[in-house]
Amino acid sequence: MSIIATKSLRKVYGKKATKFEALKGLNLEIEEGESVAIVGKSGSGKSTLMHLLALLDKPTEGAVKVDGMDATEMRNKKVNLLRNSRFGFVFQQFFMNANDSVLNNVMLPLKIAGVGARERKRRAMKALKVVELDDKAKNRAVDLSGGQKQRVCIARAIVNNPKVIFADEPTGNLDSTTGKKIMDLLFGLNKDKGITLIIVTHDLELAARCGRQIYIKDGNIVKENA
């Protein structure tokens, strides 16, 4: 069974003269354990698609199913619980509380999920160890390098033991050497832990590392490689 599937997915922004159809009826299935690149130029609809797949936004028409459950028919509270329990996120912008500690940044999804303080710390330290930053747990996020911040974001993404990691241009703000380390880490999680990896990118070299490439243009899937 697909871990994520869409049916006739449409997203329209604006009305009348300002109406813009970002996605035009996409059908897509992603299997558990896959690594998938969603590729396209700026304005192609790739980030819109990721936001819908990740339940960060709602489609105008169509359905998004997660583990066979139609998320578009769920109440907001249930969608939030589903997203927090199944998904992890790594963005080009780090979205960290700069003046808070590394540990507190990583623990945030667990706090939202209602996990107790002692267990939050245990699981966050375990995640930081995976990205080799457990020695930075007490540091302020603002004092880290770009590569370290992105590794903290990966720790935060895996702290809830997600089935899927969404990565939106995860190496966009990094130099090539640091970017390769981040990608090695993400693909290692895909291979070793079976976490489904969905990467949104315009970087063809990065996309080529994925098991499947989905090319988006003008709100349509125009090509798929596997």
Side-chain angles (χ1 to χ4, degrees):
M1 186 174 72
S2 303
I3 192 164
I4 299 178
T6 73
K7 184 177 181 182
S8 303
L9 201 64
R10 290 184 70 237
K11 183 65 178 179
V12 178
Y13 296 103
K15 294 180 180 179
K16 296 182 179 178
T18 61
K19 183 178 175 181
F20 172 69
E21 193 171 13
L23 295 178
K24 301 174 181 177
L26 271 61
N27 296 303
L28 177 63
E29 292 192 17
I30 296 174
E31 301 296 323
E32 189 167 0
E34 271 197 288
S35 59
V36 178
I38 299 173
V39 190
K41 294 180 180 179
S42 179
S44 62
K46 64 184 188 299
S47 291
T48 298
L49 176 58
M50 191 207 78
H51 278 78
L52 296 181
L53 294 178
L55 310 182
L56 294 168
D57 197 4
K58 292 185 176 182
T60 304
E61 290 179 15
V64 178
K65 291 187 176 182
V66 179
D67 288 335
M69 299 178 288
D70 189 346
T72 47
E73 294 184 350
M74 294 178 183
R75 293 180 181 273
N76 286 341
K77 187 175 180 180
K78 192 170 182 181
V79 169
N80 292 340
L81 288 169
L82 180 65
R83 183 176 60 240
N84 199 47
S85 64
R86 298 290 204 285
F87 301 157
F89 299 93
V90 181
F91 295 106
Q92 181 177 356
Q93 306 297 331
F94 306 121
F95 297 119
M96 295 168 68
N97 187 338
N99 290 313
D100 211 344
S101 70
V102 166
L103 182 63
N104 282 342
N105 273 283
V106 175
M107 287 195 298
L108 185 60
L110 298 175
K111 191 173 184 179
I112 293 169
V115 176
R118 184 179 294 181
E119 179 65 7
R120 284 203 303 267
K121 185 174 180 181
R122 187 192 70 80
R123 286 166 63 176
M125 288 302 297
K126 183 179 178 182
L128 281 168
K129 195 167 186 178
V130 170
V131 300
E132 299 179 348
L133 280 177
D134 47 319
D135 61 329
K136 301 288 186 185
K138 294 181 180 180
N139 288 47
R140 291 192 312 161
V142 72
D143 296 327
L144 301 181
S145 69
Q148 288 173 329
K149 287 176 182 175
Q150 197 61 297
R151 281 155 62 196
V152 171
C153 290
I154 292 171
R156 185 178 59 192
I158 64 173
V159 77
N160 257 352
N161 299 316
K163 287 190 170 186
V164 183
I165 288 178
F166 290 92
D168 190 357
E169 301 287 6
T171 59
N173 285 332
L174 306 175
D175 64 79
S176 58
T177 302
T178 306
K180 184 180 182 303
K181 289 179 181 176
I182 294 300
M183 294 323 303
D184 287 346
L185 185 52
L186 286 171
F187 283 106
L189 290 166
N190 169 249
K191 182 180 178 182
D192 300 336
K193 296 183 179 292
I195 296 174
T196 305
L197 186 58
I198 301 174
I199 299 175
V200 172
T201 186
H202 63 267
D203 183 339
L204 298 181
E205 187 177 341
L206 168 55
R209 289 191 63 173
C210 293
R212 179 156 60 120
Q213 297 81 34
I214 298 167
Y215 293 88
I216 305 284
K217 184 179 180 181
D218 298 330
N220 290 302
I221 295 174
V222 293
K223 185 172 71 169
E224 282 196 54
N225 293 337

